[in-house]
């Protein structure tokens, strides 16, 4: 007889053999373009802190002042006694920023996605998801109990065919900026299609908010889409905004529905109020400082051109996410390890995060990088991929 759970050790072993084993590195510095990892200094090219706000003095100061006022813990869920003036003010400011009627804060983006889709859909309904959607959107769709349809990446014709064959309430769900590829969803077309099929459109703009659009309004600003086009907008606070948490923006009816029915909202502790105050400070910087977005554009362009010249396979992306396609998982890991030895932190992204055979180095930029950092990275990539290092 086999011992209970004896397959766990076997499975871990298999992961290691396939180059799919994941492990953590211990960071001992604040976030920034230079990180201290296991006692070594490295240049950071894998963070989602695109605007460089995670350790900005204004944000840090707002956090400290709020801790003095509110303490650390929020005490309970929002519906009990955990909804502070700090949370409330941030919701109002995010609603104004996104041009939506109302906003509801969630403790994480993962929870927001699961809560929203499950609150809006049930048996007899249908959810349509881009194949490359973030795991939390896929999980939300599966958990909702609605019929679950995945369409080919950004493939509008495939989506139309699937919508035409479905009944019940329909929700089309997509990343705004795809997290592992960096490309934009064809949102203008998706909005029209959704309307034609009486579906709602939900966009997860985790990687666009603060970063894309002239004023940092994200993918909806890029395409100029209002609340009638994108009925459900989800944004995260732990990426471009540099703090932690997430929100959903939309109509009064949507937000009230979520307050009553989103289980990941109702049954969880509210974010610490100091996180909300820190995010208010970071939102002010996002709005005021266009140079951060301009700089990101320049850095990404310089990198793309340089990488193409080196014969590396860059992907179609006009965001600060600039992956280099490698293919084989073990090779991606080896390259990432060689880069680390040379002082550059670039993460290898492997299945199941991306499709089999599409392992990649996911290079991301921060507004705090300089063009010299990009040139140094290109230089070392050239040496490593040519086997000179
Ligand atoms: C990071 C991410 C999330 C999850 O947000 P958290 O706040 O980190 O839980 C959801 N969707 C996308 C597209 C993401 O990249």
């Amino acid at each position: 007889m086999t011992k209970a759970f004896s397959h766990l050790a076997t499975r871990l072993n298999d992961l290691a053999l396939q180059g799919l084993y994941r492990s953590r590195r211990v960071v001992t510095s604040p976030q920034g373009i230079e990180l201290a990892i296991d006692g070594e200094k490295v240049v950071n090219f894998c963070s989602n802190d695109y605007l460089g706000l995670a350790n900005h003095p204004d944000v840090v100061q707002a956090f400290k002042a709020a801790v003095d006022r509110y303490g650390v813990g929020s005490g309970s869920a929002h519906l009990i006694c955990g909804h502070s003036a700090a949370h409330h003010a941030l919701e109002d400011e995010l609603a104004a920023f996104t041009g939506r009627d109302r906003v509801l804060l969630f403790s994480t983006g993962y929870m927001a996605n699961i809560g929203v889709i499950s609150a809006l859909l049930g048996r007899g309904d249908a959810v349509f998801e881009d194949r490359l959607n973030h795991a939390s959107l896929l999980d939300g769709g599966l958990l909702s109990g609605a019929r679950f349809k995945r369409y080919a990446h950004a493939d509008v014709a495939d989506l139309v065919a699937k919508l035409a064959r479905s009944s019940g309430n329909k929700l089309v769900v997509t990343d705004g900026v795809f997290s592992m590829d960096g490309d934009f969803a064809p949102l203008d077309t998706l909005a029209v299609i959704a309307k034609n099929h009486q579906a709602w459109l939900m966009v997860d703009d985790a990687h666009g908010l603060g970063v894309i659009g002239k004023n940092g309004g994200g993918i909806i600003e890029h395409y100029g889409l209002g609340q009638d086009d994108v009925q459900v907008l989800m944004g995260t606070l732990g990426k471009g905004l540099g703090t932690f948490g997430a929100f959903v923006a939309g109509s009064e009816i949507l937000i009230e529905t979520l307050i009553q029915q989103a289980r990941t909202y109702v049954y969880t502790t509210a974010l610490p109020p100091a996180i909300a105050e820190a995010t208010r400070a970071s939102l002010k910087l996002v709005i005021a400082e266009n140079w951060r977005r301009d700089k990101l554009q320049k850095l990404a362009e310089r990198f793309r051109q340089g990488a193409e010249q080196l014969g590396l396979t860059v992907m179609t992306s006009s965001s600060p996410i600039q992956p280099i396609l490698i293919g084989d998982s073990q090779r991606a890991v080896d390259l990432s390890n060689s880069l680390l030895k040379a002082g550059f932190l670039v993460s290898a992204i492997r299945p199941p995060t991306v499709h089999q055979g599409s392992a990649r180095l996911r290079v991301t930029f921060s507004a705090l990088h300089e063009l010299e950092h990009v040139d140094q990275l290109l230089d070392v990539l050239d040496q490593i991929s040519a086997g000179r290092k």
Side-chain angles (χ1 to χ4, degrees):
M1 223 183 85
T2 56
K3 283 225 294 281
F5 296 101
S6 61
H7 64 291
L8 296 182
T10 315
R11 195 193 291 157
L12 287 175
N13 215 25
D14 288 348
L15 286 173
L17 289 173
Q18 295 166 55
L20 297 177
Y21 204 86
R22 298 164 187 248
S23 50
R24 302 162 309 165
R25 299 191 174 99
V26 180
V27 178
T28 52
S29 63
Q31 286 297 314
I33 50 162
E34 213 171 64
L35 286 185
I37 289 194
D38 302 327
E40 303 277 340
K41 274 193 182 163
V42 296
V43 187
N44 183 3
F45 282 105
C46 57
S47 162
N48 299 320
D49 178 24
Y50 304 115
L51 300 174
L53 298 177
N55 190 34
H56 189 287
D58 291 6
V59 179
V60 171
Q61 189 45 47
F63 185 85
K64 286 181 176 163
V67 167
D68 287 343
R69 175 170 168 192
Y70 290 104
V72 176
S74 68
S76 79
H78 285 273
L79 287 169
I80 309 298
C81 62
H83 186 66
S84 70
H87 296 116
H88 208 72
L90 176 60
E91 288 181 343
D92 287 347
E93 287 160 12
L94 285 169
F97 178 61
T98 56
R100 266 57 186 164
D101 290 351
R102 273 184 76 185
V103 154
L104 191 69
L105 289 177
F106 280 78
S107 294
T108 71
Y110 213 119
M111 292 170 66
N113 283 339
I114 287 184
V116 171
I117 302 175
S118 306
L120 294 182
L121 300 176
R123 275 174 195 284
D125 299 326
V127 59
F128 304 83
E129 302 220 15
D130 189 293
R131 243 175 216 295
L132 297 190
N133 273 357
H134 189 263
S136 56
L137 292 172
L138 301 175
D139 288 357
L142 290 169
L143 196 68
S144 72
R147 266 170 321 203
F148 184 74
K149 317 251 178 180
R150 294 174 86 174
Y151 58 91
H153 178 52
D155 187 334
V156 169
D158 190 25
L159 171 61
V160 168
K162 292 191 158 75
L163 277 166
R165 277 187 261 117
S166 297
S167 53
N169 294 304
K170 302 174 197 177
L171 184 67
V172 177
V173 178
T174 183
D175 279 27
V177 176
F178 284 87
S179 53
M180 297 301 139
D181 295 61
D183 59 331
F184 295 175
L187 269 198
D188 43 355
T189 317
L190 292 181
V192 173
I193 289 171
K195 262 188 207 154
N196 287 346
H197 291 85
Q198 283 89 49
W200 269 12
L201 177 58
M202 170 172 177
V203 175
D204 170 341
D205 203 22
H207 296 275
L209 200 84
V211 174
I212 306 298
K214 193 176 169 304
N215 303 302
I219 200 77
I220 54 162
E221 185 190 350
H222 175 82
Y223 285 108
L225 298 173
Q227 185 172 294
D228 293 336
D229 306 303
V230 174
Q231 290 81 4
V232 186
L233 174 67
M234 195 286 282
T236 60
L237 308 175
K239 289 168 180 158
L241 276 90
T243 60
F244 186 80
F247 68 88
V248 173
S251 68
E252 186 71 29
I253 296 274
L254 171 72
I255 299 304
E256 280 303 320
T257 299
L258 297 179
I259 293 174
Q260 314 307 318
Q261 314 229 317
R263 293 166 64 82
T264 56
Y265 181 79
V266 175
Y267 298 107
T268 201
T269 301
L271 288 171
I275 294 282
E277 285 297 340
T279 309
R280 295 179 71 196
S282 114
L283 184 60
K284 285 203 183 89
L285 293 163
V286 165
I287 293 167
E289 301 192 355
N290 276 321
W291 69 264
R292 293 175 192 274
R293 286 178 282 279
D294 297 342
K295 179 111 169 270
L296 280 171
Q297 284 285 340
K298 288 206 185 78
L299 294 163
E301 260 161 47
R302 170 89 143 226
F303 178 76
R304 287 180 68 76
Q305 280 174 10
E308 267 169 11
Q309 273 168 18
L310 296 179
L312 299 168
T313 312
V314 293
M315 301 174 69
T316 321
S317 161
S318 35
S319 72
I321 304 168
Q322 292 290 332
I324 300 173
L325 192 62
I326 304 298
D328 180 63
S329 293
Q330 191 58 52
R331 170 135 177 91
V333 172
D334 291 345
L335 286 170
S336 172
N337 286 337
S338 302
L339 284 166
L340 185 61
K341 273 198 201 110
F344 296 87
L345 188 63
V346 178
S347 52
I349 307 286
R350 295 159 282 172
T353 309
V354 294
H355 286 174
Q356 206 63 42
S358 77
R360 64 201 62 180
L361 293 172
R362 180 175 180 266
V363 177
T364 58
F365 295 103
S366 153
L368 300 181
H369 283 122
E370 298 302 338
L371 291 173
E372 295 81 75
H373 292 118
V374 176
D375 294 344
Q376 288 165 10
L377 176 64
L378 286 166
D379 201 42
V380 75
L381 271 170
D382 187 29
Q383 293 181 32
I384 285 170
S385 49
R388 276 180 276 129
K389 204 158 190 161

PDB file of all heavy atoms in Angstrom, residues 108-110 113 134 136 175 179 204 206-207 234 236 239 245-246, ligand 1:
ATOM      1  N   THR A 108      -6.993  42.243  -2.370  1.00  0.00           N
ATOM      2  CA  THR A 108      -6.012  41.953  -3.427  1.00  0.00           C
ATOM      3  C   THR A 108      -6.746  41.860  -4.762  1.00  0.00           C
ATOM      4  O   THR A 108      -7.970  41.686  -4.802  1.00  0.00           O
ATOM      5  CB  THR A 108      -5.260  40.602  -3.226  1.00  0.00           C
ATOM      6  OG1 THR A 108      -6.170  39.522  -3.468  1.00  0.00           O
ATOM      7  CG2 THR A 108      -4.659  40.455  -1.839  1.00  0.00           C
ATOM      8  N   GLY A 109      -5.967  41.922  -5.826  1.00  0.00           N
ATOM      9  CA  GLY A 109      -6.531  41.788  -7.162  1.00  0.00           C
ATOM     10  C   GLY A 109      -7.094  40.394  -7.386  1.00  0.00           C
ATOM     11  O   GLY A 109      -8.117  40.223  -8.051  1.00  0.00           O
ATOM     12  N   TYR A 110      -6.408  39.421  -6.845  1.00  0.00           N
ATOM     13  CA  TYR A 110      -6.871  38.037  -6.978  1.00  0.00           C
ATOM     14  C   TYR A 110      -8.280  37.902  -6.393  1.00  0.00           C
ATOM     15  O   TYR A 110      -9.188  37.330  -6.997  1.00  0.00           O
ATOM     16  CB  TYR A 110      -5.911  37.101  -6.242  1.00  0.00           C
ATOM     17  CG  TYR A 110      -5.771  35.745  -6.902  1.00  0.00           C
ATOM     18  CD1 TYR A 110      -4.551  35.304  -7.385  1.00  0.00           C
ATOM     19  CD2 TYR A 110      -6.883  34.903  -7.048  1.00  0.00           C
ATOM     20  CE1 TYR A 110      -4.423  34.073  -8.005  1.00  0.00           C
ATOM     21  CE2 TYR A 110      -6.756  33.676  -7.665  1.00  0.00           C
ATOM     22  CZ  TYR A 110      -5.536  33.264  -8.139  1.00  0.00           C
ATOM     23  OH  TYR A 110      -5.418  32.040  -8.756  1.00  0.00           O
ATOM     24  N   ASN A 113     -11.030  39.775  -8.501  1.00  0.00           N
ATOM     25  CA  ASN A 113     -11.476  39.051  -9.697  1.00  0.00           C
ATOM     26  C   ASN A 113     -12.386  37.876  -9.357  1.00  0.00           C
ATOM     27  O   ASN A 113     -13.407  37.648 -10.007  1.00  0.00           O
ATOM     28  CB  ASN A 113     -10.259  38.582 -10.500  1.00  0.00           C
ATOM     29  CG  ASN A 113      -9.636  39.731 -11.275  1.00  0.00           C
ATOM     30  OD1 ASN A 113     -10.286  40.738 -11.522  1.00  0.00           O
ATOM     31  ND2 ASN A 113      -8.376  39.586 -11.637  1.00  0.00           N
ATOM     32  N   HIS A 134      -5.116  36.448 -16.890  1.00  0.00           N
ATOM     33  CA  HIS A 134      -4.459  36.159 -15.607  1.00  0.00           C
ATOM     34  C   HIS A 134      -5.186  35.028 -14.862  1.00  0.00           C
ATOM     35  O   HIS A 134      -6.412  34.907 -14.949  1.00  0.00           O
ATOM     36  CB  HIS A 134      -4.479  37.431 -14.751  1.00  0.00           C
ATOM     37  CG  HIS A 134      -3.660  37.331 -13.510  1.00  0.00           C
ATOM     38  ND1 HIS A 134      -4.201  37.006 -12.286  1.00  0.00           N
ATOM     39  CD2 HIS A 134      -2.332  37.510 -13.294  1.00  0.00           C
ATOM     40  CE1 HIS A 134      -3.240  36.996 -11.373  1.00  0.00           C
ATOM     41  NE2 HIS A 134      -2.092  37.310 -11.959  1.00  0.00           N
ATOM     42  N   SER A 136      -6.162  34.646 -11.927  1.00  0.00           N
ATOM     43  CA  SER A 136      -7.264  35.019 -11.036  1.00  0.00           C
ATOM     44  C   SER A 136      -8.576  35.211 -11.800  1.00  0.00           C
ATOM     45  O   SER A 136      -9.658  34.950 -11.267  1.00  0.00           O
ATOM     46  CB  SER A 136      -6.917  36.301 -10.271  1.00  0.00           C
ATOM     47  OG  SER A 136      -6.593  37.349 -11.165  1.00  0.00           O
ATOM     48  N   ASP A 175      -7.701  40.719 -19.671  1.00  0.00           N
ATOM     49  CA  ASP A 175      -6.641  41.601 -19.192  1.00  0.00           C
ATOM     50  C   ASP A 175      -6.662  42.840 -20.091  1.00  0.00           C
ATOM     51  O   ASP A 175      -6.986  42.729 -21.278  1.00  0.00           O
ATOM     52  CB  ASP A 175      -5.257  40.940 -19.394  1.00  0.00           C
ATOM     53  CG  ASP A 175      -4.870  39.925 -18.318  1.00  0.00           C
ATOM     54  OD1 ASP A 175      -5.758  39.332 -17.700  1.00  0.00           O
ATOM     55  OD2 ASP A 175      -3.646  39.721 -18.136  1.00  0.00           O
ATOM     56  N   SER A 179      -0.299  40.363 -18.886  1.00  0.00           N
ATOM     57  CA  SER A 179       0.745  40.454 -17.873  1.00  0.00           C
ATOM     58  C   SER A 179       2.058  39.807 -18.276  1.00  0.00           C
ATOM     59  O   SER A 179       3.118  40.241 -17.848  1.00  0.00           O
ATOM     60  CB  SER A 179       0.247  39.852 -16.559  1.00  0.00           C
ATOM     61  OG  SER A 179      -0.257  38.550 -16.759  1.00  0.00           O
ATOM     62  N   ASP A 204      -9.418  43.821 -16.626  1.00  0.00           N
ATOM     63  CA  ASP A 204      -8.465  43.802 -15.519  1.00  0.00           C
ATOM     64  C   ASP A 204      -7.256  44.605 -15.982  1.00  0.00           C
ATOM     65  O   ASP A 204      -6.501  44.172 -16.840  1.00  0.00           O
ATOM     66  CB  ASP A 204      -8.091  42.337 -15.232  1.00  0.00           C
ATOM     67  CG  ASP A 204      -6.931  42.181 -14.264  1.00  0.00           C
ATOM     68  OD1 ASP A 204      -6.173  43.141 -14.064  1.00  0.00           O
ATOM     69  OD2 ASP A 204      -6.771  41.065 -13.732  1.00  0.00           O
ATOM     70  N   ALA A 206      -4.528  45.622 -14.317  1.00  0.00           N
ATOM     71  CA  ALA A 206      -3.443  45.565 -13.329  1.00  0.00           C
ATOM     72  C   ALA A 206      -2.150  46.204 -13.854  1.00  0.00           C
ATOM     73  O   ALA A 206      -1.453  46.891 -13.119  1.00  0.00           O
ATOM     74  CB  ALA A 206      -3.189  44.114 -12.921  1.00  0.00           C
ATOM     75  N   HIS A 207      -1.856  45.980 -15.142  1.00  0.00           N
ATOM     76  CA  HIS A 207      -0.569  46.457 -15.668  1.00  0.00           C
ATOM     77  C   HIS A 207      -0.669  47.754 -16.460  1.00  0.00           C
ATOM     78  O   HIS A 207       0.344  48.274 -16.916  1.00  0.00           O
ATOM     79  CB  HIS A 207       0.078  45.368 -16.524  1.00  0.00           C
ATOM     80  CG  HIS A 207       0.409  44.153 -15.724  1.00  0.00           C
ATOM     81  ND1 HIS A 207       1.572  44.024 -15.014  1.00  0.00           N
ATOM     82  CD2 HIS A 207      -0.314  43.036 -15.467  1.00  0.00           C
ATOM     83  CE1 HIS A 207       1.574  42.866 -14.380  1.00  0.00           C
ATOM     84  NE2 HIS A 207       0.432  42.247 -14.633  1.00  0.00           N
ATOM     85  N   MET A 234     -11.391  46.588 -13.283  1.00  0.00           N
ATOM     86  CA  MET A 234     -10.649  46.181 -12.095  1.00  0.00           C
ATOM     87  C   MET A 234      -9.238  46.748 -12.209  1.00  0.00           C
ATOM     88  O   MET A 234      -8.645  46.703 -13.293  1.00  0.00           O
ATOM     89  CB  MET A 234     -10.594  44.653 -12.009  1.00  0.00           C
ATOM     90  CG  MET A 234     -10.164  44.092 -10.657  1.00  0.00           C
ATOM     91  SD  MET A 234      -8.423  44.239 -10.246  1.00  0.00           S
ATOM     92  CE  MET A 234      -7.731  42.922 -11.222  1.00  0.00           C
ATOM     93  N   THR A 236      -5.336  47.160  -9.938  1.00  0.00           N
ATOM     94  CA  THR A 236      -4.614  46.769  -8.724  1.00  0.00           C
ATOM     95  C   THR A 236      -3.763  47.944  -8.249  1.00  0.00           C
ATOM     96  O   THR A 236      -3.409  48.830  -9.025  1.00  0.00           O
ATOM     97  CB  THR A 236      -3.730  45.528  -8.944  1.00  0.00           C
ATOM     98  OG1 THR A 236      -2.783  45.802  -9.960  1.00  0.00           O
ATOM     99  CG2 THR A 236      -4.573  44.330  -9.350  1.00  0.00           C
ATOM    100  N   LYS A 239       0.970  47.411  -8.265  1.00  0.00           N
ATOM    101  CA  LYS A 239       1.865  47.469  -9.428  1.00  0.00           C
ATOM    102  C   LYS A 239       2.209  48.934  -9.708  1.00  0.00           C
ATOM    103  O   LYS A 239       3.003  49.508  -8.980  1.00  0.00           O
ATOM    104  CB  LYS A 239       1.228  46.718 -10.577  1.00  0.00           C
ATOM    105  CG  LYS A 239       1.277  45.223 -10.244  1.00  0.00           C
ATOM    106  CD  LYS A 239       0.470  44.305 -11.092  1.00  0.00           C
ATOM    107  CE  LYS A 239       0.678  42.895 -10.556  1.00  0.00           C
ATOM    108  NZ  LYS A 239      -0.388  41.973 -10.924  1.00  0.00           N
ATOM    109  N   GLY A 245      -3.176  46.075  -2.779  1.00  0.00           N
ATOM    110  CA  GLY A 245      -4.637  46.043  -2.792  1.00  0.00           C
ATOM    111  C   GLY A 245      -5.176  46.179  -4.197  1.00  0.00           C
ATOM    112  O   GLY A 245      -4.424  46.119  -5.180  1.00  0.00           O
ATOM    113  N   ALA A 246      -6.483  46.364  -4.309  1.00  0.00           N
ATOM    114  CA  ALA A 246      -7.119  46.431  -5.624  1.00  0.00           C
ATOM    115  C   ALA A 246      -8.467  47.124  -5.502  1.00  0.00           C
ATOM    116  O   ALA A 246      -8.937  47.395  -4.387  1.00  0.00           O
ATOM    117  CB  ALA A 246      -7.304  45.021  -6.188  1.00  0.00           C
TER     118      ALA A 246
HETATM  119  C1  LIG B   1      -1.074  40.872 -10.376  1.00  0.00           C
HETATM  120  C2  LIG B   1      -2.339  40.637 -11.104  1.00  0.00           C
HETATM  121  C3  LIG B   1      -3.518  40.345 -10.419  1.00  0.00           C
HETATM  122  C4  LIG B   1      -3.544  40.072  -8.949  1.00  0.00           C
HETATM  123  O1  LIG B   1      -3.429  41.250  -8.222  1.00  0.00           O
HETATM  124  P1  LIG B   1      -2.901  41.150  -6.711  1.00  0.00           P
HETATM  125  O2  LIG B   1      -3.301  42.428  -6.107  1.00  0.00           O
HETATM  126  O3  LIG B   1      -1.419  40.971  -6.821  1.00  0.00           O
HETATM  127  O4  LIG B   1      -3.571  39.961  -6.093  1.00  0.00           O
HETATM  128  C5  LIG B   1      -4.682  40.251 -11.153  1.00  0.00           C
HETATM  129  N1  LIG B   1      -4.674  40.406 -12.484  1.00  0.00           N
HETATM  130  C6  LIG B   1      -3.553  40.664 -13.183  1.00  0.00           C
HETATM  131  C7  LIG B   1      -3.621  40.812 -14.663  1.00  0.00           C
HETATM  132  C8  LIG B   1      -2.340  40.765 -12.513  1.00  0.00           C
HETATM  133  O5  LIG B   1      -1.230  40.986 -13.183  1.00  0.00           O
END
